[in-house]
């Protein structure tokens, strides 16, 4: 049980002050399809702005709004370079600035890793800045129920070039300490073909209200997801109850130059009053995924966003965004 002045990592469905988007530009890998991906980002921004503000980070003020910050960036994955934000019931905010190193030094990330300090120094976000740059942690690699439980994957957090030579036990203790968590649930199976992140939890399993988990189904090329499903059926909540499990369909394979892309319906974004859900031009499966997400989030608008452009760079909707709790964006 959290005390009023105790900090915690809120669940994504709790009240928010806005969502960060870090915009594509000609200096990123998006250059060959810049118009297409910018149109998708505009669609995401316009959908969010019906419910809450968008904090735009861009090199050229591509998105005109009062919440715009101009700075250089390597790429666009705000989920992984954005602040991870703790709150308490007294209005306190802690902005945790972890190191982002391009998913284990796979891609350049120095400019993205400096965005948080720029936002803080310019006064675009409110809270206590907490330097955690001695530890690599990406927002897409963790899920919180807001009540002390953190989900993550061994595939990602134990992957090379992140926090070695730390052991799993040491990493768990650091997560508990930094995120003020009571427990860490490690998912040991599941990884999407084409996923550069080594198995982010937000591509596989999502925590939803009322002890519900949405997770992705296995297909012929992902048999390990059956073992992940077995893990989920064995989990219990902090109050020792089984989770309610809802299985999302796996999109039919989408390829780019012969390589399968990591399309997943689990990569949705929860905002105030709505859930933005990735779709992939597969009407039957898109509709079923939106139905199940709506079942997990009753009373919210369920909005589909065509993410076939985003997955060409091996991410999806949640990867592009980072929500901030109330009292952060000012």
């Amino acid at each position: 049980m959290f005390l009023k002045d105790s900090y915690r990592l809120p669940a994504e469905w709790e009240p928010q002050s806005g969502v960060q988007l870090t915009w594509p530009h000609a200096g990123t890998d998006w250059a060959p399809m810049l118009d297409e991906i910018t149109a998708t980002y505009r669609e995401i921004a316009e959908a969010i702005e019906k419910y809450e503000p968008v904090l735009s980070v861009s090199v050229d003020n591509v998105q005109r709004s009062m919440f715009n910050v101009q700075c250089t960036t390597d790429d666009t994955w705000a989920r992984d370079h954005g602040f991870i934000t703790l709150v308490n019931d007294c209005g306190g905010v802690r902005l945790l600035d972890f190191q982002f190193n391009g998913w284990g030094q796979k891609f350049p990330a120095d400019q993205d890793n400096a965005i948080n300090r720029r936002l803080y120094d310019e006064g675009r976000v409110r809270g206590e800045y907490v330097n955690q740059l001695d530890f690599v942690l990406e927002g897409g690699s963790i899920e919180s129920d807001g009540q002390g439980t953190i989900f993550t994957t061994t595939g990602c957090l134990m992957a090379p070039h992140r926090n070695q030579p730390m052991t799993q036990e040491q990493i768990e203790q650091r997560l508990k300490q930094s995120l003020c968590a009571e427990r860490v649930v490690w998912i040991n199976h599941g990884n999407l073909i084409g996923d550069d992140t080594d198995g982010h939890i937000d591509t596989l399993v999502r925590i939803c209200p009322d002890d519900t988990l949405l997770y992705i189904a296995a297909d012929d090329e992902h048999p390990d997801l059956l073992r992940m499903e077995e893990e989920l059926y064995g989990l219990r909540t902090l109050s020792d109850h089984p989770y309610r499990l809802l299985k999302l369909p796996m999109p039919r394979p989408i390829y780019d130059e012969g390589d399968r892309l990591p399309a997943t319906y689990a990569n949705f974004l929860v905002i105030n009053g709505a859930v933005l859900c990735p779709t992939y031009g597969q009407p039957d499966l898109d509709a079923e995924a939106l139905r199940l997400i709506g079942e997990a989030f009753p009373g919210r608008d369920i909005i589909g966003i065509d993410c076939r452009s985003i997955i060409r760079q091996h991410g999806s909707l949640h990867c592009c965004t980072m929500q901030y709790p109330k009292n952060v964006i000012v």
Side-chain angles (χ1 to χ4, degrees):
M1 180 68 67
F2 287 101
L3 301 175
K4 286 177 68 70
D5 60 350
S6 298
Y7 281 90
R8 60 188 180 84
L9 180 60
E12 193 166 310
W13 59 85
E14 296 184 43
Q16 299 175 12
S17 60
V19 173
Q20 179 181 331
L21 285 175
T22 303
W23 286 74
H25 58 84
T28 64
D29 289 342
W30 296 110
M33 51 177 292
L34 189 57
D35 290 344
E36 180 183 356
I37 190 62
T38 299
T40 301
Y41 266 64
R42 289 194 187 281
E43 182 180 359
I44 295 170
E46 290 169 2
I48 294 169
E49 286 176 333
K50 294 177 181 177
Y51 300 88
E52 60 189 83
V54 170
L55 173 61
S56 291
V57 176
S58 61
V59 298
D60 54 6
N61 290 321
V62 65
Q63 177 71 7
R64 302 292 178 180
S65 75
M66 62 182 296
F67 300 103
N68 191 81
V69 177
Q70 187 172 359
C71 67
T72 56
T73 64
D74 295 298
D75 214 326
T76 56
W77 308 108
R79 177 65 43 184
D80 295 338
H81 60 244
F83 279 115
I84 294 173
T85 311
L86 306 186
V87 300
N88 65 24
D89 291 341
C90 298
V93 173
R94 285 181 180 168
L95 302 166
L96 306 187
D97 190 7
F98 290 97
Q99 183 186 158
F100 175 58
N101 72 346
W103 310 290
Q105 300 175 358
K106 295 184 182 75
F107 303 97
D110 288 348
Q111 294 181 120
D112 289 346
N113 199 43
I115 292 173
N116 289 341
R117 189 73 214 194
R118 178 71 172 268
L119 294 178
Y120 182 78
D121 288 344
E122 290 195 7
R124 299 307 182 103
V125 290
R126 171 193 172 276
E128 174 192 358
Y129 178 89
V130 182
N131 188 328
Q132 301 274 350
L133 293 170
D134 63 331
F135 189 78
V136 176
L137 187 67
E138 301 126 20
S141 70
I142 54 173
E143 277 277 296
S144 173
D145 65 357
Q147 301 176 49
T149 294
I150 302 297
F151 274 50
T152 191
T153 67
T154 52
C156 177
L157 265 67
M158 298 304 297
H161 307 296
R162 279 181 166 88
N163 291 302
Q164 285 74 17
M166 294 179 72
T167 66
Q168 184 172 335
E169 181 179 358
Q170 290 171 328
I171 290 174
E172 178 168 326
Q173 289 305 310
R174 177 62 183 262
L175 291 176
K176 287 180 177 179
Q177 177 187 17
S178 298
L179 304 178
C180 302
E182 294 188 44
R183 67 169 184 160
V184 176
V185 174
W186 294 85
I187 302 301
N188 298 305
H189 298 282
N191 186 30
L192 295 178
I193 295 170
D195 177 16
D196 292 325
T197 70
D198 302 301
H200 272 184
I201 193 72
D202 71 349
T203 67
L204 303 169
V205 182
R206 300 297 303 279
I207 304 177
C208 309
D210 302 317
D211 295 330
T212 297
L213 300 179
L214 277 167
Y215 69 100
I216 59 171
D219 66 5
D220 290 344
E221 293 186 81
H222 296 91
D224 195 45
L225 293 175
L226 291 172
R227 300 179 71 183
M228 183 189 79
E229 183 177 44
E230 292 175 358
E231 285 188 272
L232 299 181
Y233 271 99
L235 295 179
R236 311 284 290 188
T237 67
L238 269 174
S239 54
D240 199 32
H241 295 112
Y243 284 95
R244 174 193 181 210
L245 300 178
L246 297 175
K247 185 190 299 188
L248 291 165
M250 173 73 77
R252 283 182 286 274
I254 302 172
Y255 296 94
D256 183 36
E257 297 182 352
D259 295 326
R260 182 164 178 173
L261 300 174
T264 170
Y265 291 113
N267 209 245
F268 55 82
L269 171 70
V270 186
I271 59 175
N272 295 334
V275 186
L276 305 189
C277 309
T279 62
Y280 300 103
Q282 302 178 13
D284 56 337
L285 296 180
D286 292 347
E288 175 64 6
L290 268 60
R291 183 190 69 79
L292 288 164
I293 293 169
E295 187 175 334
F297 292 92
R300 292 179 188 256
D301 298 333
I302 307 299
I303 302 167
I305 303 288
D306 188 335
C307 289
R308 284 176 289 180
S309 59
I310 304 175
I311 61 164
R312 287 171 62 184
Q313 286 296 331
H314 303 264
S316 199
L317 199 156
H318 195 248
C319 305
C320 297
T321 59
M322 174 54 85
Q323 78 285 340
Y324 289 104
K326 62 181 181 180
N327 301 323
V328 175
I329 295 179
V330 293

